[in-house]
């Protein structure tokens, strides 16, 4: 190894790159095979997407683009994995709390994180819905059910072809 001092450097960089590539992040498609679901309300729109981190951790990213002050009921967000309720953790900090929800105006991002014990597999589904989700201009509106399913559309003959 005295003759090739660069081998240690390249080996270290290779291990570093391989180690960092294990942090797999992906977006899950909904029932319409879209990566984002845009929901329109009387006070603006909310864009929802499901981001997977590995095979068991997920984040529901919600981007609000509102033209009026609104009240979002954060406790109304329900997540089900294969018909089993999953608890979420929220990233909401420094938002004004009011009547069991948070006040939002203009642009805001809300991430709700959850973990699926044992990971997800082909055929599994995640349902996200929220009754009484947002109060716009004095009226409560629901978030329609969004269905995220896990399907392997790539079939390799002899490997995963059944």
């Amino acid at each position: 190894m005295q003759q090739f001092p660069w081998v240690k450097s390249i080996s270290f960089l290779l291990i570093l790159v391989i180690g960092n590539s294990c942090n797999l992040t992906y977006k899950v498609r909904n029932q319409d095979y879209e990566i984002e679901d845009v929901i329109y309300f009387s006070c603006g729109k909310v864009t929802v997407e499901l981001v997977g981190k590995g095979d068991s951790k997920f984040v529901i990213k919600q981007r609000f683009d509102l033209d009026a002050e609104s009240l979002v009921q954060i406790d109304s967000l329900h997540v089900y994995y294969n018909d089993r309720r999953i608890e979420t953790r929220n990233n909401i900090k420094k938002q004004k709390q009011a009547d069991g929800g948070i006040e939002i105006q203009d642009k805001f991002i809300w991430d709700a994180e959850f973990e699926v014990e044992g990971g997800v597999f082909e055929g599994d589904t995640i349902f996200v819905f929220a009754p009484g989700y947002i109060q716009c201009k004095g009226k409560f509106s629901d978030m329609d059910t969004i269905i995220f399913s896990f399907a392997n559309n790539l079939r390799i003959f002899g490997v995963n072809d059944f």
Side-chain angles (χ1 to χ4, degrees):
M1 287 288 172
Q2 207 61 308
Q3 297 171 352
F4 304 106
W6 51 270
V7 172
K8 284 185 180 180
S9 298
I10 290 177
S11 299
F12 176 74
L13 286 175
L14 187 60
I15 290 171
L16 187 65
V17 168
I18 290 172
N20 284 336
S21 66
C22 293
N23 294 333
L24 178 67
T25 301
Y26 58 94
K27 294 183 180 181
V28 183
R29 294 188 181 276
N30 63 17
Q31 69 268 19
D32 299 320
Y33 299 104
E34 299 289 330
I35 290 177
E36 293 182 334
D37 200 332
V38 180
I39 304 166
Y40 293 94
F41 295 100
S42 61
C43 56
K45 68 179 182 177
V46 179
T47 305
V48 180
E49 63 184 15
L50 181 63
V51 178
K53 297 182 175 190
D55 66 347
S56 63
K57 294 181 182 178
F58 294 92
V59 177
I60 300 170
K61 290 190 169 288
Q62 301 169 77
R63 289 187 308 279
F64 293 82
D65 188 9
L66 306 175
D67 54 9
E69 187 173 295
S70 304
L71 182 67
V72 176
Q73 303 295 328
I74 59 174
D75 291 339
S76 72
L77 185 72
H78 299 290
V79 177
Y80 282 82
Y81 167 70
N82 291 343
D83 299 326
R84 190 182 71 209
R85 176 95 191 252
I86 302 290
E87 294 299 318
T88 61
R89 296 176 304 280
N90 300 307
N91 71 334
I92 297 175
K93 299 173 186 155
K94 299 179 183 176
Q95 285 300 119
K96 188 174 179 183
Q97 302 281 329
D99 297 327
I102 56 169
E103 290 182 6
I104 295 177
Q105 60 186 39
D106 199 29
K107 297 189 185 303
F108 178 72
I109 296 176
W110 170 23
D111 292 347
E113 300 176 357
F114 64 94
E115 192 168 340
V116 174
E117 191 173 309
V120 294
F121 300 96
E122 185 171 358
D124 290 348
T125 54
I126 294 176
F127 295 89
V128 178
F129 64 95
Y133 176 63
I134 191 168
Q135 182 181 11
C136 296
K137 301 176 182 173
K139 180 184 171 203
F140 279 97
S141 298
D142 300 337
M143 175 198 289
D144 292 335
T145 301
I146 305 171
I147 303 169
F148 298 98
S149 57
F150 297 86
N152 182 6
N153 294 327
L154 179 64
R155 297 283 183 217
I156 302 170
F157 182 72
V159 176
N160 65 352
D161 192 21
F162 302 109

